[in-house]
Amino acid sequence: MSDPASGTMDLAGEFLGRRTPMQRIQVTLHRYPYLSPLIVLIVALVIFALINPKFILPGNLSFITQQTVVIGTLAIAQTLIILTAGIDLSIGAIMVFGQMVMANLALTAASNATNFGLPPWLAITIGICASILAGAINGFLIVKLSLPPFIVTLGTLSVFTALTLILFKARTIQGPEMPDLLKVMGVAIKIGSFQLMVGVIVMLVLFAVFTYVLRMTSWGTHIYAVGDDPQAAELSGISTKRVLFSVYVVAGFITGIGAWIYIGRTGAASPNADPSINLDTITAVVIGGTSLFGGRGTLIGSLLGAFIVVVVENGLALAGLDQAYRVLAIGVLVIAAVALDQWIRKVRA
Amino acid sequence: MSTPTLALEPLLSCRGLVKSFGHVIGLNGADLDLYPGEVLAVVGDNGAGKSTLIKCVAGALIPDTGEITLNGERREFKRTQDARLQGIETVFQTLAVSPALDIASNLYLGRELRKPGVMGKVFRMLDKKRMRTEASQHLQDLGIGTVQSITQTVETLSGGQRQAVAVARAAVFGSKLIILDEPTAALGVRESARVLQLIKDLRDRGMPVILISHNMPQVFEVADRIHVQRLGRRAAVVTPQTHTMNDVVAIMTGAMSVDEKDQALGPVRSAN
């Protein structure tokens, strides 16, 4: 209720006109949140290529894409969840559960007691459905019991891990025991001396599909609105509960596809697969510029973030640095990304 | 609204609404009547239950007991969407806009337009272009098209511009009545005047408005009738012609009570 309203508005306008270079950077990053991971990735690629020329050989670049494929796929699911201001700590456990369901149902070794011998397409479908169900359980607990996603998925991380071990024992199923369709994601297509894995194509298609969904459909808009301000979304007529539940279900589906890709990538199905995958997906999403507070972020950023995680690991290894330094570097990147996000969020006109 | 007898019936009527939050009683048997084509101001001290009352009408709260009738039909709103489907649009005090979304997306939040044909039906593709053109057209029609770009995110707007987006959303989609909860609280003088003009324009178009405000001069400027809320009930309904601002403040604080025959419980404005 200040009296000279027009005066204050003009002052604000003048103030806006005189932005410092830092403010201009802040506003640009705010508008295009994937710019910072893009710059980090390009800088990392250039530096590692200069340190060790082997880094940019097609063989190593194919290796990097193969290393990225599982983190990248799961990062799609994790992005959708983090956009709603949630988090999924159980995503790796769901993936392992899904792949063990697929592998055990399709097992061809006649000697095995758990030999269901289902047709491979059916085994894969059931495995994906199992992942969807696991996601739905997360969603149910979060939406119906109003529990915080962090606690729910911390719990289901243990539950799904234990369930996998109880149902399928601790037995790793080797590649030759499985029908080819389960391993199809690992098939490499040769493009010159670059090897493009089928799983990488599937991952990129998923990125394209869900980028479309987030940007061009009501559901996508509602995901941002719910993560941004749930009260405002509810008052605007959006059923926040329905949106949240559907996000966890869809995340389960993507994780199921990730499970199939994982079998192809490793050529085996192990109940003790890759315990770091949970945190790697969150790392990729955060480095990719998606805000842990919800409502802000892009899938393209998460894809870049997944590549950054792998490129830094790979590049530092080729530079001859110890594993501990690679872990250190990732940790520094995560903290830097979150600090950057906090700074960008302060943008106000 | 075409026959004179209908105009005497309230468009919206609340009877005996009770809403408690634990030990706190927000509404204690509150009544409310809104007649076609009028601007009804709801005033009251802090905690008198103004916002609770309109939240019940808007579907944001479900009253414990009491009934709400719209056009003579009893309605139970479980969600804001239920009230919206009946043509009741509300600008809440918190504005209920999504800061990270752009102006057009906010305007159409919860009722997005899809592309015609296969793209819309099968691929659920939003018609962003149409939403943007129509949104900027609406903002211009309402005389609040001062934003630089319709694709700006709402968080980059000033308080007054955000308010304009929220008011525009209600004005565009409200078909039966529009509720404004403290629409000028965050605004400067010039922006407030624009919102008041908008309320008058809406009334001239025959659209009834419920205005909640603390600002007595504004209330006396636009209201046909003034509903005074006190201690969770309707204390009195008066008009700017029969009572002064001091009278209204006295009723609000309980220093004065108005005999029922001196109140304006019926319509004072002939609906057109």
Side-chain angles (χ1 to χ4, degrees), chain A residues 222-233:
Chain A
H222 294 175
I223 288 176
Y224 282 97
V226 167
D228 202 16
D229 187 339
Q231 275 89 35

Side-chain angles (χ1 to χ4, degrees), chain B residues 40-57:
Chain B
L40 177 73
V42 176
V43 299
D45 213 346
N46 287 335
K50 306 182 295 281
S51 284
T52 312
L53 177 62
I54 65 104
K55 275 186 178 159
C56 289
V57 176

Side-chain angles (χ1 to χ4, degrees), chain A residues 240-323:
Chain A
T240 50
K241 291 187 165 188
R242 204 175 301 166
V243 171
L244 277 180
F245 183 74
S246 62
V247 163
Y248 283 90
V249 170
V250 170
F253 166 75
I254 298 168
T255 309
I257 305 282
W260 186 11
I261 295 178
Y262 192 91
I263 295 176
R265 156 89 188 82
T266 56
S270 161
N272 305 310
D274 215 348
S276 70
I277 197 90
N278 278 326
L279 293 180
D280 283 346
T281 60
I282 297 169
T283 305
V285 173
V286 169
I287 291 178
T290 296
S291 170
L292 284 173
F293 302 99
R296 202 176 315 265
T298 55
L299 275 176
I300 183 78
S302 300
L303 178 62
L304 294 167
F307 272 111
I308 290 172
V309 172
V310 175
V311 162
V312 168
E313 292 246 351
N314 178 279
L316 290 177
L318 281 182
L321 279 171
D322 188 69
Q323 166 78 17

Side-chain angles (χ1 to χ4, degrees), chain B:
Chain B
M1 264 181 260
S2 49
T3 54
T5 44
L6 257 179
L8 296 170
E9 294 298 317
L11 172 76
L12 173 84
S13 167
C14 303
R15 285 290 169 269
L17 294 186
V18 176
K19 179 73 191 175
S20 53
F21 308 94
H23 292 298
V24 182
I25 294 168
L27 291 180
N28 189 12
D31 300 335
L32 177 107
D33 289 295
L34 176 76
Y35 291 92
E38 73 170 351
V39 176
L40 177 73
V42 176
V43 299
D45 213 346
N46 287 335
K50 306 182 295 281
S51 284
T52 312
L53 177 62
I54 65 104
K55 275 186 178 159
C56 289
V57 176
L61 287 174
I62 303 167
D64 302 335
T65 59
E67 60 183 66
I68 299 171
T69 51
L70 187 68
N71 275 340
E73 272 181 66
R74 184 140 183 217
R75 298 282 176 197
E76 283 181 23
F77 301 136
K78 302 262 183 264
R79 304 174 47 212
T80 50
Q81 196 73 346
D82 299 340
R84 286 172 140 203
L85 289 174
Q86 294 300 324
I88 301 177
E89 281 291 328
T90 310
V91 177
F92 295 97
Q93 224 171 336
T94 54
L95 299 185
V97 289
S98 214
L101 297 180
D102 65 34
I103 297 170
S105 303
N106 261 295
L107 216 58
Y108 287 91
L109 194 56
R111 54 189 145 215
E112 290 83 358
L113 302 176
R114 275 200 224 116
K115 281 236 162 100
V118 181
M119 286 315 284
K121 279 215 181 69
V122 182
F123 296 102
R124 325 291 282 178
M125 191 191 241
L126 295 177
D127 200 341
K128 291 211 170 185
K129 204 172 142 208
R130 197 173 132 215
M131 286 196 276
R132 280 171 190 162
T133 350
E134 289 191 4
S136 60
Q137 189 58 49
H138 288 316
L139 286 181
Q140 236 141 51
D141 290 350
L142 296 166
I144 40 187
T146 55
V147 289
Q148 293 97 310
S149 155
I150 207 81
T151 57
Q152 260 184 293
T153 59
V154 164
E155 66 197 334
T156 63
L157 299 179
S158 71
Q161 290 172 324
R162 285 185 203 203
Q163 194 103 36
V165 172
V167 171
R169 180 166 65 179
V172 170
F173 294 104
S175 60
K176 279 220 188 80
L177 80 100
I178 290 169
I179 303 172
L180 303 165
D181 191 355
E182 299 276 5
T184 58
L187 301 187
V189 171
R190 203 172 55 172
E191 290 164 313
S192 295
R194 214 175 279 152
V195 171
L196 291 184
Q197 188 54 49
L198 179 67
I199 293 172
K200 290 177 192 162
D201 291 348
L202 288 170
R203 178 180 56 194
D204 293 345
R205 270 166 35 196
M207 175 71 65
V209 176
I210 298 178
L211 167 73
I212 294 179
S213 181
H214 266 118
N215 188 316
M216 283 299 158
Q218 288 180 1
V219 165
F220 272 72
E221 190 187 332
V222 296
D224 295 308
R225 296 189 305 136
I226 303 167
H227 165 125
V228 187
Q229 185 79 5
R230 178 173 149 73
L231 302 175
R233 319 178 65 124
R234 177 166 69 182
V237 183
V238 298
T239 66
Q241 288 75 38
T242 55
H243 290 75
T244 64
M245 290 188 205
N246 284 336
D247 292 341
V248 171
V249 173
I251 301 167
M252 264 166 64
T253 55
M256 177 180 161
S257 60
V258 186
D259 208 61
E260 200 151 297
K261 68 177 167 42
D262 295 328
Q263 293 192 26
L265 292 170
V268 297
R269 195 186 171 82
S270 56
N272 41 1

Side-chain angles (χ1 to χ4, degrees), chain A residues 27-43:
Chain A
V27 168
T28 312
L29 288 180
H30 183 261
R31 201 161 179 136
Y32 308 102
Y34 51 83
L35 268 185
S36 39
L38 184 64
I39 293 165
V40 170
L41 183 60
I42 291 171
V43 170

